[in-house]
């Protein structure tokens, strides 16, 4: 009898352990490699590419097909490896700085980019020669953020112009017309009405991202750092920005959101449930609506951001991913030419909009209605208004926030300590920002 | 000559311990010395190191984030000691008792979580302790009319969540250590005590606990180390190394942030050395007070 029960226990343990190990690590932390370039011939050069966004691989797949067609003598096969965000950046930093194991091409997120440009020996290839033909058609600020000492090291996928996305269904219930929201005061009054009539919040108080700080600083022509790259996060502009947000929070216009900011799984769940009526996010957030918030199709309209006073710049380019070529690759020149083609050419920018739904940095395509207003495009179908109508309206008002050596530290301290202290614990804004300034200076010593 | 050498009684013991010595020197002593040297340098991969003396250490002592990470790790370690020594001991005694029904079932169910990947367990616990109304804990509390709690944004709640995860994972393992300790206690002691009319509690206090001391010392030693070195659980629970107000940041998390995420290897090496010193002080004190350094009496 005892033997039998022991046997049953062992079998149970084995089955359960198999079940658990079969689950493995969660799907978002999986590393996958696949080869792209099915139309390449036998003599094609094999290059490797690391990214942390699956969709970026899909875009490069389309571009690779075109490249191989147009360049029969320089065909490429691309081994794409998709890794989780932190994992990929940490591995890449180790690989490029040690000179061993790095891929030929890689995606580096803007917030991580300064780490790769530190010191005298930048481990990335300068892209100046392949950038030259496109110099006049791209948004200059989106290239400067990946540059150091006149050398360009990365090409972005998008401008990331910040836009206001309004849930018109909720606003209509509250009797609010989003078109009348021009200033933060209008936004506040609209939010008060929304909360009174529907019990929902108009916006979010972000505790784990600095999108809001960035756009409010840009509207005042300010930044997180001074002209020498030194942090100045307790500036009068920053205090004004956060005091305004705290006022909105006190009036139930904005509220903290699970996940800490709109671009998290938990927050998208809240949006899907209709608990928040607007997102003030970069243009690339459109792809999150289309791919991850399908229930909201047809409900959202796009408009320029509210401002402090009419005449303030109404947008700022936020987020970004620079595609780079590493120094120890097999065929560095070929990799550079391909990256420029895949990111900056007219064909590339069209595909960037079609596949990724991003606002491309080559602005030629912004004026091409056949592309931007194509009725078959899922991004066109999803929203009540066309993104490029708003983008073209504000295209001369898109400011940039600098990404410098201090930026990763500033982001880290804001996203872990400062924003939680302000919005969760109700700490005085000036006091919290003074403490942040001190902590950042200490960390950078 | 060779034969003489190999068969030499003086040489043989050294040959037998050589693999250990080599592994010790190569994988422990060499990295340790290297880390110690590196902790006095400003070193980044890809750049030439600069000798900066004790600057890394003096910076660490005023680094509030580092002090937070030490506090978190020490509180977690003490929490695991309080929870993961007495309870597994008690469960082991219960499971060892012949009166207990379904002993094998309980043994395997307690041990099962140790087989689960920490990534899976951490993710499940993160969702369980989520701040949404619909997360498992909040739905449960909702049944009693309790408002949703932001577990992973509050220092005390999140430490409690980490400790619950630790208990869930390690109770079974510690229990197995105690079970093996119990097997080595001679039944005659209990029989003699029964004849003398000792109660169950008296037997536990005067026979079981003292004779389990070597096991307790061992479990304490590894728990001190495991508590101070905890990292992955926090990483999975907070979905990354950056928790709100650093409530989930441990010493190893801080080391990882500096060394791997920021490429400040010299600074990270100083953190490693301090961690080693803290772990050594606690463990050597603990071993000294538990009498482990005394020579065994003949």
């Amino acid at each position: 009898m005892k033997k039998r029960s022991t046997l049953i226990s062992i079998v149970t343990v084995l089955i359960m352990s198999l079940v658990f190990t079969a689950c493995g690590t969660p799907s978002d932390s999986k590393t996958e490699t696949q080869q792209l370039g099915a139309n390449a011939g036998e003599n094609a050069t094999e290059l490797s590419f690391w990214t942390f966004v699956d969709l970026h691989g899909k875009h490069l797949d389309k571009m690779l097909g075109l490249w191989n067609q147009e360049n029969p003598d320089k065909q490429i096969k691309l081994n794409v490896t998709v890794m989780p965000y932190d994992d990929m950046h940490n591995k890449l930093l180790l690989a490029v700085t040690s000179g061993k194991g790095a891929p030929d091409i890689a995606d580096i997120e803007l917030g991580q980019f300064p780490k790769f440009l530190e010191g005298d020996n930048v481990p990335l290839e300068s892209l100046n020669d392949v950038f030259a033909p496109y110099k006049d058609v791209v948004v200059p600020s989106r290239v400067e953020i990946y540059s150091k000492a006149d050398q360009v090291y990365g090409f972005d996928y998008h401008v990331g112009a910040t836009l206001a996305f309004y849930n018109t269904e909720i606003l209509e219930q509250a009797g609010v017309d989003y078109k009348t929201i021009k200033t933060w005061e209008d936004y506040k009054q609209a939010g008060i009405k929304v909360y009174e009539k529907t019990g929902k919040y108009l916006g979010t108080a972000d505790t784990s991202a600095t999108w809001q700080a960035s756009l409010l600083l840009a509207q005042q022509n300010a930044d997180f750092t001074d002209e020498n790259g030194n942090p100045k996060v307790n500036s009068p502009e920053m205090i004004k920005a956060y005091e305004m947000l705290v006022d909105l929070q006190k009036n139930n216009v904005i509220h903290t959101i699970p996940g800490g900011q709109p671009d998290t799984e938990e927050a998208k769940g809240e949006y899907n449930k209709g608990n928040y009526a607007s997102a003030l996010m970069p243009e690339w957030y459109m792809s999150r609506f289309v791919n991850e918030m399908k229930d909201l199709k047809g409900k959202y309209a796009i408009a320029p951001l509210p401002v402090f006073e009419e005449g303030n710049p109404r947008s700022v380019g936020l987020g970004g991913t620079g595609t780079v070529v590493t120094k120890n690759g097999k065929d560095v020149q070929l990799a550079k030419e391909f990256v420029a083609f895949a990111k900056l050419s007219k064909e590339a920018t069209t595909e960037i909009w079609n596949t990724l739904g991003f606002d491309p940095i080559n602005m030629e395509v912004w004026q091409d209605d056949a592309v931007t207003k194509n009725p078959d495009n899922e991004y066109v179908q999803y929203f009540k208004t066309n993104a490029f109508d708003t983008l073209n309206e504000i295209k001369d008002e898109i400011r940039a926030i600098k990404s410098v050596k201090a930026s990763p530290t500033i982001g880290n301290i804001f996203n872990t300590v400062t924003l939680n202290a302000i919005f969760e614990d109700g700490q005085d804004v000036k006091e919290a920002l003074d403490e942040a300034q001190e902590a950042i200076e200490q960390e950078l010593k | 000559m060779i034969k003489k050498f190999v068969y030499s009684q003086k040489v043989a013991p050294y040959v037998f311990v050589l693999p250990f010595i080599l592994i010790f020197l190569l994988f422990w002593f060499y990295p340790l010395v290297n880390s110690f040297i590196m902790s006095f340098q400003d070193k980044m991969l890809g750049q030439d190191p600069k000798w900066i003396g004790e600057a890394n250490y003096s910076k660490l002592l005023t680094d509030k984030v580092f002090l937070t990470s030490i506090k978190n790790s020490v509180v977690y370690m003490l929490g695991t000691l309080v929870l993961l020594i007495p309870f597994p001991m008690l469960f082991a005694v219960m499971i060892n008792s012949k009166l207990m029904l379904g002993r094998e079932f309980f043994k395997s169910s307690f041990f099962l979580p140790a087989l689960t990947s920490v990534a899976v367990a951490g993710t499940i616990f993160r969702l369980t302790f989520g701040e949404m109304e619909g997360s498992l804990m909040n739905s449960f509390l909702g049944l009693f009319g309790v408002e949703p709690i932001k577990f992973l944004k509050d220092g005390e709640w999140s430490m409690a969540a980490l400790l619950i995860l630790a208990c869930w994972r390690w109770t079974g393992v510690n229990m197995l250590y105690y079970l093996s300790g119990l097997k080595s206690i001679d039944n005659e002691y209990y029989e003699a005590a029964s004849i003398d009319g000792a109660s169950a509690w008296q037997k536990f206090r005067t026979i079981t606990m003292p004779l389990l001391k070597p096991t307790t010392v061992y479990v304490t030693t590894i728990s001190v180390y495991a508590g101070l070195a905890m990292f992955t659980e926090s990483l999975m629970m907070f979905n990354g190394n950056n928790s709100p107000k650093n409530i989930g940041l441990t010493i190893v998390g801080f080391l990882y942030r500096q060394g791997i995420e920021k490429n400040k290897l010299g600074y990270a090496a100083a953190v490693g050395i301090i961690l080693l010193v803290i772990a050594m002080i606690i463990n050597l004190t603990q071993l000294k007070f538990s009498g482990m350094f005394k020579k065994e009496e003949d």
Side-chain angles (χ1 to χ4, degrees), chain A residues 166-181 186-195 197-198 202:
Chain A
Y166 291 111
N167 184 325
T168 52
E169 195 177 73
I170 300 176
L171 294 187
E172 276 160 20
Q173 280 170 25
V176 172
D177 178 5
Y178 73 91
K179 289 182 198 130
T180 61
I181 302 175
D186 299 337
Y187 187 82
K188 180 178 166 182
Q189 297 309 324
I192 291 171
K193 267 193 202 167
V194 168
Y195 187 74
K197 296 269 168 60
T198 67
L202 182 55

Side-chain angles (χ1 to χ4, degrees), chain A residues 161-165 206 211 261-263 279-285 305:
Chain A
T162 323
L163 301 168
F165 299 93
D206 298 350
W211 315 118
Q261 53 123 336
D263 194 24
L280 310 180
M281 286 296 281
E283 193 272 355
W284 49 255
Y285 196 65
L305 291 178

Side-chain angles (χ1 to χ4, degrees), chain A residues 2 5-6 9 12-13 16-17 20-21 23-26 28-29 86-87 90 93-94 97-98 112 115 118-121 207 255-260 265-266 270 273 408-409 412 415-417 420-421 424-425 438 442-445, chain B residues 44-48 59-60 62-65 103-105 108-109 111-112 115-117 119-120 123-124 126-127 131-134 150 153 168 236 239-246 254 256-265 267:
Chain A
K2 197 182 167 203
S5 68
T6 314
S9 312
T12 315
V13 170
M16 292 306 279
S17 61
F20 279 105
T21 40
C23 294
T25 46
D28 61 351
S29 62
D86 285 329
D87 212 15
N90 293 339
L93 188 63
L94 282 175
T97 47
S98 64
Q112 301 281 333
K115 288 199 258 179
E118 272 191 41
D120 302 324
N121 318 316
T207 52
H255 193 264
T256 52
I257 190 163
E265 279 167 47
E266 296 95 327
E270 292 291 306
K273 280 189 232 158
T409 304
N412 183 258
N415 298 339
T416 51
V417 182
N420 277 294
E424 294 286 358
D425 304 344
E438 195 190 329
Q442 156 78 19
E443 178 89 28
L444 291 170
K445 246 197 275 177
Chain B
M44 294 174 79
L45 270 182
Q47 316 283 340
D48 295 328
K59 187 179 167 187
L60 269 180
T62 55
D63 193 327
K64 282 186 190 158
V65 183
R103 287 153 69 189
E104 295 303 320
F105 170 75
S108 43
S109 2
F111 191 70
L112 193 61
L115 300 171
T116 316
S117 138
V120 174
T123 308
I124 292 171
R126 170 157 57 86
L127 298 174
E131 64 182 271
M132 283 97 71
E133 270 177 44
K150 295 176 180 176
K153 280 185 175 168
W168 179 78
M236 297 315 296
N239 202 16
N241 201 16
N242 298 316
S243 46
K245 286 174 278 171
N246 292 314
F254 184 78
Y256 183 81
R257 186 185 282 179
Q258 298 298 336
I260 305 294
E261 293 175 0
K262 296 191 169 174
N263 196 10
K264 287 184 187 166
L265 292 178
Y267 198 50

Side-chain angles (χ1 to χ4, degrees), chain A residues 288-352:
Chain A
R288 276 50 168 186
F289 276 114
V290 170
N291 294 305
E292 297 168 67
M293 293 178 266
K294 294 183 194 291
D295 296 352
L296 302 173
K297 188 173 178 180
K299 292 183 185 171
Y300 267 81
I302 300 167
L305 291 178
V307 285
F308 288 98
E309 287 164 24
E310 291 204 42
N312 288 156
R314 287 179 293 172
S315 193
V316 55
L318 291 181
T321 299
T323 306
V324 303
V325 174
T326 62
K327 270 202 164 139
N328 298 313
K330 271 190 282 308
D331 190 337
V332 169
Q333 193 54 34
L334 179 64
K336 281 164 64 172
E337 284 172 25
F338 173 65
V339 168
F341 172 77
K343 302 298 287 284
L344 304 178
S345 66
K346 179 86 192 291
E347 298 93 316
T349 49
T350 306
E351 281 309 320
I352 283 176

